[in-house]
Amino acid sequence: MATLSRTILSRTPSTIISHLADVKGKYYDAARHSLLFTLSPPPSNDDLASIVYSLTSFSERSVGCISSPEPAHNQDVISCSITLLDNATTSLFRSTIPGREMIQVGRWHSYTPKNNRETRSEEKSLDEVGWVGQDDPRESGGRVDWEVVWNQRARNSESFEDLPEGLQSIRPDTVNQILYLSDPSPEGLVSTLRSRFPAATQLGLLASSTPFITGRPVTLVHNGKVYEDGAVGVAFTAPKLSSELSLRLPEAVKPLGQEMTVTRAEGNLINTLDGANPTRLLLRAIQTAGIDSTSEAAILFKEEEEFYLGVYGDGDVSQIYTITSGDTSRGTIALNTTRAPAIGAKVQFFRRSKRAQPYFPPCATEQRSLTFKIADSETYGEAFAEDTVVLDNMFHAASENGFIVSRGGEIPWTCTVPGCIATVGL
């Protein structure tokens, strides 16, 4: 379990480094602790390298990544979150399990296939890291049911050899929580973790894109080595650790229409809701809400609005998916997932205005907790009046790429709704 959690928000890189030195001097025990961290980049690459060096020299055992600023529009506020992990009840890991192939685009060095990650993912020590920007090489493509693909892969595996090395010696029934930081293609890892540790709560942050910052698609750190793909993470075996995971929607996301029941679904498509055409139900709810439009296409793809489908569990929204397209003739709506909510699920449409929304900074808590947030660039107002804010008991990290949730036994799903927050105890 975690013995200390802290988020430092500052406009001054030297202040971040000073706080890290203070924590290391007062609380860090080299024989007992590992470090989990995230860091949003300061304006200067030299400052970024200095802070990363301070973090990775903090402990020989560490995992971390480059994250988004908090808030996303305020680039001059550096966000650094750290958690000291008790080695007796935690295990760090680095995953090279392949995920979905990414299309090569733009001016970028050649990518070898993901099933040869050991060759492509080059380890670099800190003094070899080049903080040079490049064009972003990655774009998702195609509609492949990766849930089916990776579940089949997990079923065909007979041993633990496909597990990351740091997880192979752990009894599956002792793991109650897994946190990880990943590149945009975690499908293989997600399926393997679900297969091997079905009772564990799992929460993963898709690390921020860093091609213009470090010259890598994403920037992950494991035990002082820097990687541009795969994933890094930690498994918790503390018996008293609370594995409850909560999802909080931002104030900008509002219910639209009434609750409905999924009556037919296939893949990532909802075919009927309450036995009716779901696209027409959405259009009717939009028009009833007074959202103006000159055509059906303009309603569904209006630049100022985004629409979602929320799934209810125990009275609250437990999952929420972005509606990516709709077809009034066929009636189907497509979601940003490989598997739509099950038949019988209670759901409701939601809307989000893309106009600038108020920003609410994270707050310190009495109980140690970790929050992953989807960075929201449509916010306004000053982030902090002070130069530095320190949040005790809080590990807060943001990314524009989303996070993946799986409460013990739940099929993993990806949230990409700006402003959404997932929280677990530490």
Side-chain angles (χ1 to χ4, degrees), residues 271-285:
N271 295 320
T272 61
L273 292 171
D274 289 342
N277 180 316
T279 299
R280 294 196 181 279
L281 291 175
L282 174 57
L283 289 169
R284 188 182 307 157

Side-chain angles (χ1 to χ4, degrees), residues 143 264-271 325 332-335 337 339-340:
R143 286 188 181 178
R264 192 157 64 89
E266 179 183 9
N268 71 325
L269 303 176
I270 299 289
N271 295 320
S325 65
T332 58
I333 56 175
L335 308 177
T337 181
R339 183 174 297 181

Side-chain angles (χ1 to χ4, degrees), residues 93-101 113-118 120-121 146 149-150 153-154 157 159-168 182-197 220 229-232:
F93 64 89
R94 151 83 180 145
S95 171
T96 58
I97 300 173
R100 180 181 58 218
E101 279 286 353
K114 281 210 165 191
N115 59 7
N116 192 21
R117 262 185 170 151
E118 288 81 356
R120 176 165 76 83
S121 182
W146 288 102
V149 172
W150 294 118
R153 180 183 184 276
S157 178
S159 70
F160 280 85
E161 293 179 358
D162 60 336
L163 279 175
E165 183 177 351
L167 300 178
Q168 291 181 8
S182 174
D183 70 9
S185 302
E187 296 83 11
L189 174 64
V190 169
S191 180
T192 298
L193 293 179
R194 182 179 175 229
S195 174
R196 299 305 190 190
F197 307 100
L220 307 171
D229 62 7
V232 298

